């Protein structure tokens, strides 16, 4: 469990940026799809034209039939109407296809950037964040933006063009009515913008309540074993009901606040239609306009509703997209404290290790390692012992550069690890920790970590060594057996053997084994100790162990206490010196001290 938390990332949400910077940032993701966007725009103009033309055809049709025009003219008009209606439908389908296509292309790049960035951020950051929160960042925020990418341009621009088209045509027909319609349009948009903000605060509370509910479910399902075993299901349900109640109450309020503005515009719209109709009928009765033109006025007024509503919706989406964008940019702006170096190569064969007066702390207030200073020659094996919390695992994390040291230098193969590219380090250095993570995939994929270049013979040879082979042979599908993520399909001991195989398949030149046998029974442990002996012949090894028996084959011993080296030396020398800590431990054999 990680209880203490670093303060480095706490206030990161306060670094908001101005919106126009957001826009240029967004353009980076939109730029690769600009060709498609242009096509989208062109198609949009076509549908707008179709929508504007058809009511005019109907207008002519009505006038022609009212004045007993020739039937052939009517048939032509009907045919034209049909043709344009079909064209409009086809183009509409194309627009929505292209719109989604553009949105996915643009936002998938962003998703990839976010996930890639997250995976490279240092452990101090990850210690502070839950997986649920990160999923929300990589997918939730981006999905909010994707609706925006897809439809914003299409609908905002489309709506404006349509509105301008309708009003423009109206002004050529009748100034008075066109003025009434324009006034209504401006008023409706204004009212909508003004009252839409009403719902923002309550929608935010609603989202918070929902996030709480999901957090609760995620946490309790993750701990299902403890929940069931302790008979805590009724308590969990009780908390769940309370969370649901809050979702319901905040949801109802938010819904009300969203519905009020919508109803207000509907009301406003009804007034507009009535006014236009009254004016139109008045003009018609004075014979100032034809029946067809009256129809056109009516139809165009009806058509005003859609673009206005869409503009309103887009404003809301825009708000959401803006907050998504802000959060994504904040995340991308976070720098990992682990800056890779430039050196790409380490000496061949087993690697030496040198710690030069290393001090380290996870957070400012408490130093975990004090002045750690030691040296291992290539091929040597070091056993580290010390009580829980004495800093053993911290040493291994530093060696793999999961954290930077506060002071001092760590050299691997004679190279300061800060000067190395991270890949160069990870290619040659392997680590087995106490927690083994399984991934959803076949047994082979889990052992090779999805590297298809590792052949089966190699896998089987190593599993043979660590004593996992009988277990694999007993599986009906062997290496093809599917493993579920999370590791519930393996016992803790099997998982440790599994992790060892995984590391040795990468043919490391330096291996850190962090309590590799803590969950094994004595018989399996003996097999494993023999296996490690063979596997470690070609590399330098650090073995952290809580049972002295595991360390019988190491060359050197380090005894740690409260983050300090209290003893370091050749195992045989220390064992022979009755004054040494190690000899004392061997004598009393108080293994449980290190459990
Ligand atoms: N991620 C972390 N954040 C803050 N403190 C930590 C973290 N991991 C370990 N510590 C603290 O560092 C000290 C050494 O831990 P660790 O190296 O894991 O000990 P060991 O492996 O010897 O049991 C302990 O006091 C522990 O509480
Ligand atoms: Mg540990």
């Amino acid at each position: 469990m990680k209880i203490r938390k670093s303060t480095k990332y706490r206030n990161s949400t306060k670094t908001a940026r101005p919106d126009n910077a957001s826009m240029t940032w967004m353009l980076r993701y939109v730029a690769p799809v600009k060709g498609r966007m242009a096509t989208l725009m062109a198609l949009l103009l076509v549908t707008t034209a179709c929508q504007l033309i058809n009511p005019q055809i109907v207008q002519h049709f009505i006038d022609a039939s009212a004045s007993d025009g020739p039937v052939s003219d009517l048939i032509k008009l009907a045919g034209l109407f049909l043709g344009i209606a079909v064209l409009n439908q086809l183009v509409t389908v194309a627009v929505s296809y292209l719109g989604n296509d553009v949105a996915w292309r643009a936002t998938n790049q962003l998703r990839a950037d976010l996930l890639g960035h997250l995976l490279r951020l240092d452990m101090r950051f990850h210690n502070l964040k839950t997986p649920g929160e990160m999923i929300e960042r990589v997918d939730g925020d981006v999905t909010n933006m994707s609706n925006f990418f897809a439809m914003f341009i299409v609908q905002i621009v489309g709506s404006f063009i349509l509105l301008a088209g309708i009003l423009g045509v109206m002004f050529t027909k009748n100034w008075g009515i066109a003025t009434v319609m324009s006034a209504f349009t401006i008023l409706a948009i204004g009212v909508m913008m003004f009252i839409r903000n009403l719902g923002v605060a309550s929608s935010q509370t609603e989202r918070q309540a929902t996030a709480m509910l999901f957090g609760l479910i995620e946490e309790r399902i993750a701990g299902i074993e403890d929940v069931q075993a302790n008979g805590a299901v009724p308590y969990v349900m009780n908390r769940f009901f309370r969370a649901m109640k809050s979702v319901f109450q905040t949801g109802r309020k938010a819904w009300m606040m969203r519905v009020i503005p919508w109803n207000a515009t509907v009301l406003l719209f009804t007034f507009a239609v009535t006014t236009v109709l009254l004016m139109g009928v008045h003009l018609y009765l004075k014979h100032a306009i034809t029946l067809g033109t009256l129809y056109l006025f009516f139809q165009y007024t009806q058509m005003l509703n859609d673009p206005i509503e869409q503009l309103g919706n887009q404003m809301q989406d825009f708000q959401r997209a803006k907050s998504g964008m802000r959060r994504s940019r904040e995340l991308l702006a976070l720098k990992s404290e682990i800056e890779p170096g430039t050196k790409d190569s380490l000496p061949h064969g087993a690697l030496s290790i040198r710690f030069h007066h290393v001090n380290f702390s996870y957070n400012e207030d408490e130093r975990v390692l004090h002045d750690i200073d030691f040296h291992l020659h290539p091929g040597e094996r070091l056993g580290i012992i010390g009580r829980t919390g004495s800093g053993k695992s911290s040493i291994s994390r530093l060696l793999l550069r999961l954290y930077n040291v506060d002071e001092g230098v760590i050299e691997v193969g004679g190279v300061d690890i800060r000067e190395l590219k991270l890949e160069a380090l990870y290619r040659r250095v392997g680590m087995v920790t106490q927690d083994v993570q399984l991934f959803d995939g076949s047994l082979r994929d889990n052992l090779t970590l999805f590297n298809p270049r590792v052949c089966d013979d190699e896998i089987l040879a190593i599993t043979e060594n660590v004593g996992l082979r009988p277990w694999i042979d007993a599986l009906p599908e062997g290496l093809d057996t599917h493993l579920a993520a999370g590791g519930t399909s393996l016992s803790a001991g099997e998982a440790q053997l599994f992790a060892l195989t995984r590391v040795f398949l990468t043919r490391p030149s330096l291996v850190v084994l962090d309590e590799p046998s803590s969950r094994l029974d004595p018989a399996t442990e003996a097999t494993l100790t023999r296996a490690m002996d063979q596997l470690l012949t070609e590399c330098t090894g650090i073995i952290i162990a809580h049972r002295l028996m595991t360390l019988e084959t190491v060359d050197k011993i380090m005894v740690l206490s409260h983050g300090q080296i209290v003893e370091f030396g050749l195992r045989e020398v220390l064992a022979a010196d009755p004054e040494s800590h190690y000899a004392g431990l061997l004598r009393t054999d108080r293994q449980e001290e290190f459990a």
Side-chain angles (χ1 to χ4, degrees):
M1 277 302 276
K2 291 131 186 169
I3 303 162
R4 287 184 214 102
K5 302 203 156 180
S6 142
T7 47
K8 184 175 164 200
Y9 292 102
R10 288 249 174 89
N11 300 325
S12 58
T13 46
K14 286 186 188 144
T15 54
R17 268 149 242 267
D19 287 344
N20 40 0
S22 278
M23 282 301 170
T24 40
W25 174 79
M26 194 186 96
L27 284 179
R28 270 222 317 268
Y29 288 95
V30 177
V33 291
K34 58 179 185 292
R36 284 161 199 271
M37 284 230 165
T39 320
L40 198 58
M41 242 25 261
L43 290 176
L44 210 62
L45 286 175
V46 176
T47 56
T48 311
C50 291
Q51 289 178 67
L52 286 176
I53 291 170
N54 255 353
Q56 300 194 41
I57 298 175
V58 177
Q59 174 200 7
H60 289 297
F61 186 91
I62 292 174
D63 288 345
S65 45
S67 61
D68 292 328
V71 175
S72 62
D73 278 6
L74 293 181
I75 291 177
K76 263 188 228 149
L77 283 172
L80 195 60
F81 178 86
L82 199 67
I84 290 181
V86 170
L87 178 70
N88 185 30
Q89 274 313 310
L90 290 178
V91 177
T92 306
V93 171
V95 163
S96 88
Y97 174 86
L98 254 183
N100 278 295
D101 183 79
V102 164
W104 280 103
R105 277 171 204 272
T107 52
N108 275 347
Q109 185 54 49
L110 177 58
R111 283 190 181 87
D113 285 356
L114 283 171
L115 184 62
H117 186 71
L118 266 182
L119 289 178
R120 279 179 209 109
L121 278 179
D122 55 81
M123 295 305 299
R124 275 187 231 270
F125 171 83
H126 287 291
N127 286 344
L128 284 179
K129 305 289 176 178
T130 64
E133 191 179 339
M134 290 301 103
I135 293 172
E136 180 59 22
R137 284 289 183 97
V138 173
D139 192 62
D141 284 348
V142 178
T143 302
N144 278 345
M145 272 181 265
S146 101
N147 301 336
F148 172 76
F149 274 124
M151 290 302 156
F152 185 71
I153 314 271
V154 179
Q155 295 197 337
I156 291 272
V157 179
S159 301
F160 269 117
I161 296 177
L162 189 59
L163 280 178
I166 292 171
L167 296 176
V169 174
M170 281 306 298
F171 272 106
T172 66
K173 306 272 178 191
N174 185 293
W175 274 87
I177 293 184
T179 311
V180 171
M181 280 166 69
S182 306
F184 156 71
T185 306
I186 292 166
L187 190 66
I189 294 178
V191 166
M192 209 160 46
M193 298 255 211
F194 178 67
I195 42 187
R196 255 178 208 276
N197 285 334
L198 277 182
V200 172
S202 47
S203 292
Q204 240 157 25
T205 350
E206 183 194 10
R207 271 203 299 283
Q208 256 159 30
T210 321
M212 288 265 296
L213 179 69
F214 285 136
L216 184 80
I217 297 176
E218 188 209 316
E219 192 184 293
R220 300 307 139 101
I221 290 186
I224 187 76
E225 222 172 71
D226 287 345
V227 169
Q228 288 189 346
N230 292 305
V233 171
Y235 303 109
V236 170
M237 287 310 288
N238 181 302
R239 290 285 297 277
F240 178 68
F241 286 135
R242 273 190 278 169
M244 276 207 300
K245 185 172 159 197
S246 133
V247 169
F248 172 68
Q249 284 171 342
T250 53
R252 187 175 49 186
K253 181 164 175 221
W255 182 80
M256 287 295 291
M257 298 309 271
R258 281 194 296 264
V259 163
I260 291 170
W262 184 73
N263 277 314
T265 46
V266 168
L267 201 67
L268 207 59
F269 186 70
T270 314
F271 278 123
V273 173
T274 315
T275 315
V276 169
L277 259 183
L278 282 175
M279 287 173 80
V281 169
H282 177 71
L283 289 172
Y284 176 69
L285 291 178
K286 282 199 324 190
H287 300 291
I289 57 169
T290 63
L291 188 59
T293 312
L294 178 59
Y295 163 81
L296 188 72
F297 291 172
F298 176 68
Q299 185 60 24
Y300 272 11
T301 318
Q302 293 280 8
M303 279 167 54
L304 283 178
N305 192 37
D306 283 355
I308 291 177
E309 207 175 288
Q310 278 184 359
L311 281 176
N313 289 340
Q314 284 305 314
M315 283 295 121
Q316 248 181 355
D317 264 12
F318 182 56
Q319 294 299 333
R320 263 201 304 245
K322 249 189 359 200
S323 74
M325 258 187 267
R326 207 192 59 228
R327 283 156 52 104
S328 295
R329 297 189 66 214
E330 273 165 20
L331 190 60
L332 288 173
L334 290 181
K335 267 245 175 68
S336 175
E337 71 165 55
I338 310 295
E339 277 189 37
T342 50
K343 288 194 183 156
D344 206 10
S345 67
L346 283 167
H348 289 291
L351 295 166
S352 65
I353 304 171
R354 186 183 280 278
F355 273 57
H356 283 286
H357 302 285
V358 168
N359 288 320
F360 172 69
S361 51
Y362 289 98
N363 45 52
E364 300 84 31
D365 27 287
E366 199 187 335
R367 180 149 286 182
V368 169
L369 292 177
H370 306 264
D371 199 29
I372 301 294
D373 194 277
F374 69 94
H375 181 205
L376 283 188
H377 297 288
E380 272 186 330
R381 287 178 219 172
L382 170 72
I384 305 184
I385 47 184
R387 283 174 183 264
T388 302
S390 57
K392 305 182 298 293
S393 298
S394 303
I395 289 189
S396 64
R397 289 180 200 129
L398 290 183
L399 198 54
L400 273 117
R401 218 175 159 216
L402 297 180
Y403 298 86
N404 278 338
V405 298
D406 298 344
E407 284 160 36
V409 175
I410 299 176
E411 284 176 8
V412 167
V415 182
D416 183 342
I417 57 172
R418 277 175 298 198
E419 290 170 7
L420 274 174
K421 285 187 180 164
L422 292 172
E423 307 85 68
L425 182 68
Y426 297 147
R427 235 186 348 254
R428 302 286 301 280
V429 183
M431 174 159 83
V432 178
T433 62
Q434 285 144 289
D435 311 306
V436 182
Q437 185 67 50
L438 290 188
F439 302 99
D440 191 62
S442 71
L443 187 54
R444 178 184 300 101
D445 291 341
N446 265 287
L447 287 171
T448 62
L449 284 183
F450 304 92
N451 179 354
R453 281 192 298 262
V454 183
C455 66
D456 286 6
D457 290 343
E458 221 174 324
I459 301 176
L460 292 175
I462 290 179
T463 47
E464 178 87 59
N465 259 334
V466 299
L468 204 59
R469 183 71 188 272
W471 179 76
I472 293 180
D473 288 341
L475 295 170
E477 289 174 77
L479 288 175
D480 291 314
T481 308
H482 186 266
L483 294 182
T488 41
S489 47
L490 291 181
S491 78
E494 284 160 355
Q496 283 192 325
L497 298 179
F498 206 92
L500 270 172
T501 312
R502 205 184 248 175
V503 162
F504 283 106
L505 272 173
T506 65
R507 306 203 163 280
S509 306
L510 167 59
V511 175
V512 185
L513 306 175
D514 193 348
E515 312 210 1
S517 57
S518 57
R519 293 170 186 174
L520 301 182
D521 58 83
T524 317
E525 187 178 358
T527 325
L528 183 78
T529 312
R530 270 197 307 280
M532 280 188 330
D533 213 31
Q534 287 185 21
L535 291 168
L536 286 170
T537 48
E538 283 158 32
C539 58
T540 313
I542 293 185
I543 305 164
I544 299 170
H546 68 302
R547 264 181 284 210
L548 297 182
M549 186 188 123
T550 324
L551 300 182
E552 269 163 13
T553 59
V554 300
D555 304 302
K556 288 180 172 170
I557 290 282
M558 175 193 290
V559 182
L560 268 186
S561 172
H562 301 290
Q564 280 171 311
I565 300 179
V566 291
E567 196 165 275
F568 182 85
L570 290 171
R571 185 180 55 84
E572 282 166 0
V573 175
L574 291 177
D577 175 3
E579 302 285 291
S580 75
H581 283 272
Y582 180 60
L585 292 169
L586 281 177
R587 262 198 312 277
T588 49
D589 199 29
R590 283 164 60 197
Q591 299 164 355
E592 60 285 357
E593 263 206 37
F594 305 107

